[in-house]
Amino acid sequence: MEALEKLRELLPEEQFEKIKAIDNPELHSFLAEWIEWLEPSKVFVCTDSEEDELYVRWKALYYGEEKMLETPNHTVHYDNYYDQARDKANTKLLIPGGKEVPFLNTMDREEGLREIRDLMKGIMRGKELFVCFFVLGPKNSIFTIPAVQLTDSAYVAHSEFILYRKGYEEFKRLGRNAKFFRFVHSAGELDERKTSKNLEKRRIYIDLEDETVYSVNTQYGGNTIGLKKLAFRLTIQKAVREGWLSEHMFLMRVNGPNGRKTYFTGAYPSMCGKTSTAMIPWENIVGDDLTFILPVNGIARGANVEKGVFGIIQGVNPKDDPIIWQVLHSPVEIIFSNVLVKDGKPYWNDMGVEIPKEGENHSGKWWKGKKDREGNEIPASHKNARFTVSLEHFPNVDLEALNNPCGVEVGGMIFGGRDADTWPPVREAFSWEHGVITMGASLESETTAATLGKEGVRTFNPMAILDFMSVPLGDYIRNYLEFGKKLRKTPKIFAVNYFLRENGKWLNHKLDKAVWLKWMELRVHGDVEAIETPIGYIPRYEDLKRLFKEVLNKDYSKEDYEKQFTIRVPELLAKIERIERIYHEKAKDVPEELFKVLEEERKRLLKAREKYGDYISPFALEEA
């Protein structure tokens, strides 16, 4: 039977007409197959209308997946106590034959598809299926990737309406030309708190061949909101295949002299300063998480994949995060998840406000000192508690850039690492290749030392993307290098490190990053000179002294500058060795250029050591 006829049988007439309006036989076949397989008791097809979005929001409350809070438009959602983060072990890439790929969690495609189909057979009996259409990237643009989400969770559908641009009209416009991603999700059987019950059968399988993601027996956003980190695996593969970049990067505007606007992307591993950089109050945010970068007439142009924020709420306070704090206390549409609620108000850890001693949280009824079944004390709010809100509500959003179908020109790319003793606070690469390899592909993040004085453990995380990689690392880096060759004007590449320490004391203040940004903006346009070092260009003291006064109204001493920008040769050489070893031993088929560029950097460091010693003052290099 033809798919459209099958859908006529499966759907009420009103819902069927919505699907029939899209002339895409491939979509019809996908929907007919899965609606029949999932056996929902009810199906609702979402168009781009406000009424359909309101229907989803209402159903999230009606089915008990969200509850109203005191502030209008605010709701709270709880996940199962043991379903609070991305399930890395059960998130697998389905690859024919289950071929092993370094750093990737793979399994045999046929076996995975068999298992997921078995788990999903009839799983939506007694439940309502929401069929939702969205796009990744701005609508009707070079960045647009259409996507269809099937889910029995109104919370998941509601989250996607906040985070992504609606795509029903795009599917109609594209018709048979729509090459789209597919997402099939079921929260599975729910317990009395309306959270996923069968967590031992939680599975998140990404079929790279069919560009389809299956997610079952979970509600946590990172496992279920298909267009976010699940689609990210598909877009990385697509970008490498087609010769563009799909990156784990913020996109922001740094405001230069005389009203100049310069756009930067930035990749930072977790806890390395990504959000705080993107949210500096006097600059402008375009996106906080995912960016597509395409070569357009020899220029790198970037666009935010999303239109909202699924942000970690722990530690958000009025002093350090004034903009986010303001948004969270406005009556705009927000879903809080896994926070403490008392008298209709949300509370979270380290919010700078006294937290009640009891209330409701992700563990149910909560009181201070309550323990879980393993004997661990349960915090008021989960450390991975989240807020979901549209970017349009941020007072510092660059709405024109967010919605521009042509994206924005990327002037600079920043790679942010975390180490106590190696990278200076900011530096500029000599070239695209030098930046990609010694900054992006060499990115590390240091864990906080558990024992006082013990060196933190450095975790290798190239481009802050390792958790989401869906292609061999060598192919990913090769694509980056090739991308630069397509441009007549490459973005300048910078590396930052906000975490230098000496005798246990920070060498940077939290807000110093605002100065590094302003310096990078000036360098993109060649407005200031820089000091050449073995590892790239660093700022001159006089320029930073002026910027500290202009930006933060702070005096900046020569002593601070020298400590921060000393070239630490032994630590830098040790890092090169670490990175080379990882690429030699763990990654396969890495471009030879990577080892060549690292070797050149080693030689420059050794030569400088002969002349200046192990620790080289920036003043010595400036005089050279």
Side-chain angles (χ1 to χ4, degrees):
M1 187 189 292
E2 199 187 280
L4 209 53
E5 288 309 305
K6 172 66 77 179
L7 285 168
R8 193 188 295 276
E9 276 183 18
L10 291 166
L11 299 175
E13 189 178 352
E14 187 187 350
Q15 306 308 318
F16 170 73
E17 290 299 328
K18 293 177 184 176
I19 296 297
K20 189 184 166 193
I22 300 171
D23 178 23
N24 191 315
E26 201 179 327
L27 172 72
H28 300 157
S29 297
F30 168 72
L31 293 176
E33 178 189 356
W34 278 98
I35 293 170
E36 187 172 35
W37 191 261
L38 297 163
E39 299 179 46
S41 298
K42 191 173 183 182
V43 178
F44 184 79
V45 177
C46 300
T47 68
D48 294 350
S49 75
E50 208 170 307
E51 293 82 0
D52 286 1
E53 185 179 350
L54 284 170
Y55 177 88
V56 168
R57 286 171 69 179
W58 173 248
K59 280 303 178 86
L61 294 167
Y62 177 76
Y63 289 129
E65 286 192 272
E66 294 176 36
K67 291 177 184 171
M68 283 192 278
L69 295 172
E70 183 183 58
T71 302
N73 299 311
H74 289 196
T75 59
V76 64
H77 163 81
Y78 291 112
D79 296 306
N80 186 301
Y81 184 78
Y82 297 97
D83 188 25
Q84 296 283 331
R86 282 186 287 114
D87 182 351
K88 292 185 187 180
N90 286 307
T91 301
K92 297 185 180 178
L93 297 166
L94 304 185
I95 292 178
K99 190 177 89 172
E100 282 191 25
V101 183
F103 303 111
L104 308 188
N105 191 7
T106 62
M107 83 177 287
D108 177 57
R109 181 171 183 262
E110 292 309 314
E111 185 191 332
L113 290 176
R114 230 179 359 256
E115 183 188 4
I116 210 79
R117 288 183 76 86
D118 287 349
L119 284 170
M120 286 189 152
K121 177 66 179 161
I123 201 167
M124 292 189 188
R125 286 178 204 140
K127 298 174 89 175
E128 182 169 7
L129 165 63
F130 300 92
V131 179
C132 307
F133 300 94
F134 299 102
V135 295
L136 296 166
K139 291 182 188 181
N140 194 8
S141 79
I142 51 169
F143 301 96
T144 306
I145 301 175
V148 58
Q149 170 87 55
L150 308 190
T151 181
D152 57 12
S153 167
Y155 156 72
V156 167
H158 181 197
S159 299
E160 290 185 327
F161 271 112
I162 294 173
L163 292 170
Y164 299 96
R165 300 159 176 101
K166 295 172 183 177
Y168 177 77
E169 291 299 326
E170 278 290 277
F171 269 85
K172 277 174 67 177
R173 183 181 71 81
L174 291 164
R176 293 175 181 236
N177 296 323
K179 292 284 170 254
F180 57 95
F181 290 167
R182 307 139 212 246
F183 304 93
V184 185
H185 165 252
S186 173
E189 192 182 344
L190 304 182
D191 58 21
E192 65 284 351
R193 295 195 74 222
K194 306 299 181 190
T195 72
S196 294
K197 195 173 174 180
N198 302 316
L199 298 183
E200 75 287 353
K201 294 177 182 170
R202 178 172 53 198
R203 300 287 184 273
I204 303 101
Y205 288 172
I206 300 154
D207 183 1
L208 294 172
E209 209 167 274
D210 249 0
E211 297 189 317
T212 305
V213 178
Y214 305 94
S215 167
V216 67
N217 293 315
T218 175
Q219 275 171 313
Y220 169 69
N223 297 326
T224 60
I225 297 169
L227 281 85
K228 199 162 183 61
K229 293 297 171 43
L230 302 175
F232 192 28
R233 272 74 160 206
L234 301 180
T235 59
I236 290 169
Q237 176 189 249
K238 187 176 170 68
V240 169
R241 194 170 58 225
E242 297 173 0
W244 49 279
L245 305 177
S246 170
E247 297 304 307
H248 192 201
M249 290 177 161
F250 65 57
L251 180 58
M252 70 182 295
R253 185 178 99 205
V254 178
N255 299 302
N258 306 314
R260 184 171 65 201
K261 301 173 181 180
T262 308
Y263 292 91
F264 285 81
T265 63
Y268 298 57
S270 183
M271 306 301 290
C272 288
K274 185 180 183 184
T275 304
S276 59
T277 303
M279 286 290 175
I280 287 174
W282 46 84
E283 311 297 3
N284 297 86
I285 188 164
V286 184
D288 77 316
D289 196 27
L290 300 170
T291 300
F292 288 162
I293 307 169
L294 270 67
V296 182
N297 299 326
I299 300 290
R301 299 195 69 86
N304 182 3
V305 178
E306 310 172 288
K307 71 166 188 76
V309 176
F310 178 61
I312 292 175
I313 202 167
Q314 176 160 314
V316 171
N317 67 75
K319 183 174 175 288
D320 297 328
D321 313 283
I323 289 174
I324 301 175
W325 184 268
Q326 180 188 332
V327 171
L328 295 179
H329 291 81
S330 310
V332 299
E333 185 183 1
I334 304 174
I335 307 171
F336 294 86
S337 63
N338 306 313
V339 295
L340 176 70
V341 174
K342 172 75 173 171
D343 298 330
K345 291 181 181 170
Y347 296 88
W348 53 90
N349 310 332
D350 308 323
M351 68 187 292
V353 169
E354 194 178 343
I355 294 175
K357 303 284 189 285
E358 55 161 18
E360 184 183 5
N361 75 357
H362 54 290
S363 72
K365 188 169 166 47
W366 177 83
W367 57 92
K368 195 166 174 56
K370 181 182 180 183
K371 294 187 174 175
D372 62 20
R373 64 187 187 213
E374 286 82 28
N376 303 310
E377 189 165 323
I378 301 169
S381 169
H382 195 275
K383 65 180 181 185
N384 197 28
R386 300 273 176 159
F387 63 93
T388 308
V389 65
S390 175
L391 270 166
E392 67 187 357
H393 302 307
F394 284 70
N396 65 330
V397 68
D398 184 336
L399 269 179
E400 189 186 338
L402 178 65
N403 297 320
N404 191 336
C406 300
V408 294
E409 179 178 338
V410 178
M413 294 172 79
I414 307 167
F415 293 104
R418 182 188 186 105
D419 69 63
D421 61 9
T422 309
W423 279 6
V426 63
R427 75 188 192 282
E428 177 194 328
F430 294 128
S431 65
W432 176 262
E433 294 75 18
H434 179 246
V436 167
I437 289 161
T438 68
M439 297 173 180
S442 302
L443 205 54
E444 292 177 302
S445 171
E446 194 178 82
T447 56
T448 310
T451 315
L452 201 63
K454 183 183 170 189
E455 186 185 26
V457 178
R458 288 181 168 94
T459 307
F460 173 67
N461 195 350
M463 281 76 171
I465 209 169
L466 205 55
D467 276 359
F468 313 105
M469 197 64 83
S470 56
V471 298
L473 186 52
D475 292 353
Y476 172 78
I477 291 167
R478 190 173 291 106
N479 180 53
Y480 239 103
L481 295 170
E482 290 301 317
F483 181 82
K485 292 171 187 167
K486 295 174 186 171
L487 305 176
R488 55 185 165 85
K489 184 182 176 187
T490 54
K492 280 190 181 285
I493 296 183
F494 301 90
V496 296
N497 171 31
Y498 309 148
F499 302 95
L500 270 178
R501 291 200 298 277
E502 193 176 80
N503 302 322
K505 288 185 179 174
W506 301 110
L507 293 183
N508 295 251
H509 184 271
K510 259 185 178 180
L511 262 179
D512 289 359
K513 61 175 79 77
V515 173
W516 316 143
L517 273 179
K518 292 294 193 195
W519 179 78
M520 289 186 261
E521 198 277 340
L522 295 172
R523 283 296 294 167
V524 165
H525 300 281
D527 289 354
V528 289
E529 295 296 313
I531 300 167
E532 187 175 330
T533 80
I535 58 167
Y537 299 108
I538 59 170
R540 292 162 61 242
Y541 170 67
E542 293 303 324
D543 293 324
L544 290 185
K545 183 183 176 185
R546 176 177 59 81
L547 287 170
F548 265 94
K549 201 69 186 164
E550 283 175 11
V551 178
L552 300 176
N553 195 25
K554 257 173 75 171
D555 291 323
Y556 184 57
S557 71
K558 282 189 170 184
E559 185 191 12
D560 281 349
Y561 170 75
E562 191 164 31
K563 278 181 181 174
Q564 290 170 351
F565 288 93
T566 286
I567 303 301
R568 298 161 172 82
V569 177
E571 288 81 2
L572 287 159
L573 288 171
K575 181 181 174 73
I576 290 172
E577 271 187 42
R578 274 196 311 277
I579 299 303
E580 279 180 335
R581 194 179 315 120
I582 290 167
Y583 280 105
H584 273 305
E585 293 175 5
K586 295 187 178 176
K588 291 175 183 170
D589 194 25
V590 178
E592 269 309 305
E593 197 167 347
L594 182 133
F595 299 109
K596 180 172 157 279
V597 170
L598 289 173
E599 181 56 29
E600 286 166 356
E601 183 132 302
R602 178 190 280 116
K603 283 177 179 168
R604 287 193 299 271
L605 284 162
L606 291 170
K607 191 176 174 187
R609 182 165 70 178
E610 277 177 29
K611 188 172 180 182
Y612 301 102
D614 278 344
Y615 295 94
I616 308 171
S617 163
F619 293 117
L621 290 169
E622 190 173 22
E623 287 163 11

